[in-house]
Amino acid sequence: MKMSPRCTYCLLSRVHFQSKLSTDDEDLISKTLHECLGVMNKHYSPEAVSASVATKIHRKCYEVLEDNDPYKVTKKLINQAALKVLPAAKEKIYENSPDDGELFRRAVLASVIANYFDFGIMGFDASEDKFEATFLKFFDHGLDVDDTLKMMELLQDVVYIADNCGEILFDMIVFDVIKKLGGKITLVVRGGPILTDVTLEEVAEFQIDKKVDKVMTTGSNAVGILVEEAPPELLKAMKDATLIISKGMANYETLSEHNFGPIAYMLLTKCECVAEDLGLEQGLSVARLMNFP
């Protein structure tokens, strides 16, 4: 996905948000914004990939703040909030003993809704006190784009590219269903801290590795997956997979520039630009299969 002019002020809003998470020093916050404006000025172009520019800006932000993980405390809070909602989610997913197709659809729906567990997106309210009510509201509404039946035919060898903390706890339900249906899962997480994204630290904390067949990283702390920074073994796994499941907007922003497939994008269209790129409205629950013969 290419940059939109709207990406500029949204990115800078996020820089300000995470700077305030890191420090109360207004001079340092001002310096950070100034430095990030310089990166934006240098790299902004309508032909640039949005997440690639975002990666450069966030790396500069972390460098100036001298903080390699401004969201460290926030991620813990997100996981705690997700754990509170998880029992209600599982109850809805397994209610009335659904058949395999319905079980997979419900698990995917819960995982997509959990993409709500994000902080710092301009104009998007992810306050903790609204999580459970929001989850139940979205669950009752269902998926707005639902390609789960087609996805079910491709679960033999899945590469599952994770997104946020909190959200990953709901992804684990999808892992359970895929394994129940006889599929193999290679989980992919970020190679280092960036935003609220899952890293190997969360994999160890929640023993997520026990739910999947293999865990790999993106090879860096890039926003999404930058192919030029990805390990060769990851690119091979993606090429050989019967299905790639890509969670969240950043992964879409990077992977939509390539022809990996079949690939299922599972996300909420929180961002107007991502929604437009998908040809959808903002605020929809999406499980869309693409590059499928």
Side-chain angles (χ1 to χ4, degrees):
M1 189 184 99
K2 307 299 186 190
M3 283 198 88
S4 158
R6 289 163 291 187
C7 297
T8 56
Y9 49 87
C10 188
L11 267 172
L12 292 172
S13 169
R14 186 120 192 187
V15 166
H16 184 248
F17 176 85
Q18 65 202 22
S19 297
K20 288 176 72 68
L21 288 178
S22 178
T23 181
D24 294 325
D25 184 339
E26 289 295 332
D27 289 338
L28 181 55
I29 292 171
S30 294
K31 180 184 178 185
T32 303
L33 280 164
H34 185 263
E35 294 280 342
C36 290
L37 272 168
V39 176
M40 178 78 78
N41 188 51
K42 181 178 179 181
H43 295 285
Y44 172 77
S45 162
E47 294 305 309
V49 176
S50 52
S52 178
V53 176
T55 295
K56 292 179 174 67
I57 288 172
H58 289 305
R59 285 175 177 169
K60 175 57 71 174
C61 176
Y62 288 19
E63 175 192 324
V64 178
L65 292 170
E66 296 184 356
D67 186 347
N68 75 339
D69 192 1
Y71 292 88
K72 192 172 185 65
V73 174
T74 304
K75 288 190 288 187
K76 299 289 185 187
L77 295 174
I78 291 172
N79 284 330
Q80 289 172 19
L83 285 169
K84 290 178 184 175
V85 181
L86 205 54
K90 287 182 176 179
E91 187 175 331
K92 295 290 283 187
I93 291 167
Y94 289 99
E95 190 174 47
N96 298 325
S97 303
D99 62 28
D100 288 346
E102 178 64 12
L103 179 61
F104 182 66
R105 187 192 67 79
R106 290 182 189 179
V108 166
L109 171 60
S111 172
V112 168
I113 297 168
N115 189 225
Y116 183 90
F117 287 96
D118 204 355
F119 287 81
I121 296 177
M122 191 173 67
F124 182 72
D125 179 10
S127 53
E128 181 181 341
D129 61 340
K130 295 185 177 179
F131 280 159
E132 184 164 349
T134 299
F135 179 88
L136 294 173
K137 174 186 169 186
F138 272 102
F139 195 93
D140 288 342
H141 176 78
L143 288 164
D144 295 289
V145 177
D146 182 0
D147 287 339
T148 53
L149 287 179
K150 294 177 187 174
M151 289 166 62
M152 276 188 72
E153 299 171 12
L154 304 167
L155 298 178
Q156 295 87 354
D157 190 357
V158 176
V159 170
Y160 198 106
I161 305 170
D163 188 28
N164 298 317
C165 291
E167 181 178 348
I168 189 66
L169 301 176
F170 292 77
D171 294 330
M172 289 167 71
I173 305 173
V174 181
F175 302 161
D176 286 343
V177 177
I178 292 174
K179 298 295 282 185
K180 177 179 182 287
L181 296 173
K184 293 194 303 180
I185 306 163
T186 297
L187 173 65
V188 183
V189 299
R190 299 291 178 248
I194 190 73
L195 305 175
T196 57
D197 290 1
V198 177
T199 66
L200 290 173
E201 183 177 338
E202 288 77 37
V203 170
E205 180 182 355
F206 293 102
Q207 299 184 316
I208 302 169
D209 53 311
K210 294 182 178 178
K211 295 280 189 177
V212 299
D213 297 279
K214 189 173 185 179
V215 179
M216 304 178 78
T217 80
T218 58
S220 72
N221 71 335
V223 176
I225 293 185
L226 296 185
V227 168
E228 61 270 24
E229 296 183 0
E233 60 266 32
L234 171 58
L235 298 179
K236 184 179 187 305
M238 292 170 68
K239 180 177 178 291
D240 294 344
T242 56
L243 177 65
I244 300 166
I245 292 179
S246 167
K247 287 301 300 294
M249 297 191 299
N251 289 325
Y252 171 78
E253 289 174 51
T254 48
L255 293 176
S256 59
E257 290 291 308
H258 303 278
N259 291 313
F260 292 110
I263 185 165
Y265 292 108
M266 290 170 35
L267 52 85
L268 288 177
T269 53
K270 293 173 284 194
C271 162
E272 186 179 34
C273 301
V274 170
E276 287 180 2
D277 200 69
L278 281 162
L280 300 171
E281 296 176 4
Q282 199 171 358
L284 300 185
S285 302
V286 178
R288 173 175 281 179
L289 182 63
M290 299 178 74
N291 300 342
F292 177 55

